[in-house]
Amino acid sequence: MGGGWNVEEMENHGARYETRFKLLRERVLAMKALWTQEQAEFHGQFVNFEPVWLYPKPKQRPHPPILLGGETDHTVRRVVEFCDGWFPRARAGWEPKSAAARLRQAAIAAKRDPATLSITVFNAPADQAALVPYREAGIARVLLEVPDLGRDDVLHLLDKNAPLAAA
């Protein structure tokens, strides 16, 4: 998930740009309460409900992993505070070892066990050698780009990248 950047889209969905991350945080915490408690209630600035029941509960325990996208220090702090993993984009200058260290340091500073947090990198390089530093940094998953191409081109790309999944 992400906090969003498109003001018009956010307002269309009932969120204000200035308070989007407070809203995001409260919605995540409220979902976690609903997923993990037999009778949940939540009282925040944006999300507020009296005791309720939610069934069925998620099959994954304690709940599906909550991954937050972004690359800023604010994102890393939010990941440590209320998420299960970080979902950064591999961009120019992005380096797996320093990124993993950044998350680990933020977790330690917040007195959270870094082992409870995962990293899934969006748009990672589709190259075996380029992915070695990701593995060495302890990055759990990478997502490769699948461009908007025709069927045959996409199938060819998937076949070409399939060995990366096996490694």
Side-chain angles (χ1 to χ4, degrees):
M1 67 183 171
W5 59 270
N6 185 316
V7 177
E8 292 80 15
E9 182 179 83
M10 295 171 81
E11 288 178 358
N12 178 268
H13 290 78
R16 293 183 42 85
Y17 185 80
E18 299 78 21
T19 56
R20 69 192 186 278
F21 288 109
K22 290 179 183 179
L23 175 63
L24 174 76
R25 177 184 175 275
E26 286 189 15
R27 286 182 173 172
V28 168
L29 294 175
M31 284 189 310
K32 285 183 171 186
L34 290 165
W35 289 340
T36 61
Q37 299 170 20
E38 286 302 309
Q39 181 174 308
E41 66 181 291
F42 191 90
H43 302 286
Q45 180 181 352
F46 301 97
V47 178
N48 190 21
F49 53 86
E50 297 301 321
V52 296
W53 298 268
L54 172 83
Y55 294 100
K57 301 288 186 196
K59 182 176 174 120
Q60 288 176 281
R61 297 288 179 221
H63 51 72
I66 306 294
L67 309 180
L68 181 61
E71 294 78 36
T72 68
D73 289 338
H74 295 294
T75 299
V76 171
R77 284 194 296 275
R78 290 180 184 110
V79 167
V80 169
E81 180 190 354
F82 61 91
C83 297
D84 305 300
W86 185 25
F87 193 45
R89 295 171 287 182
R91 299 172 133 187
W94 194 84
E95 200 278 310
K97 186 176 179 182
S98 62
R102 193 168 145 217
L103 181 62
R104 188 171 41 261
Q105 291 165 356
I108 291 167
K111 300 192 182 347
R112 180 162 178 190
D113 180 359
T116 65
L117 297 167
S118 68
I119 300 176
T120 302
V121 180
F122 179 75
N123 204 23
D127 176 76
Q128 187 77 298
L131 291 174
V132 169
Y134 289 68
R135 265 186 249 105
E136 290 172 349
I139 291 175
R141 287 172 297 277
V142 298
L143 298 179
L144 307 177
E145 179 182 19
V146 178
D148 185 15
L149 299 172
R151 176 186 179 276
D152 291 341
D153 291 331
V154 169
L155 288 174
H156 174 73
L157 180 65
L158 293 174
D159 286 340
K160 176 180 167 250
N161 290 342
L164 296 173

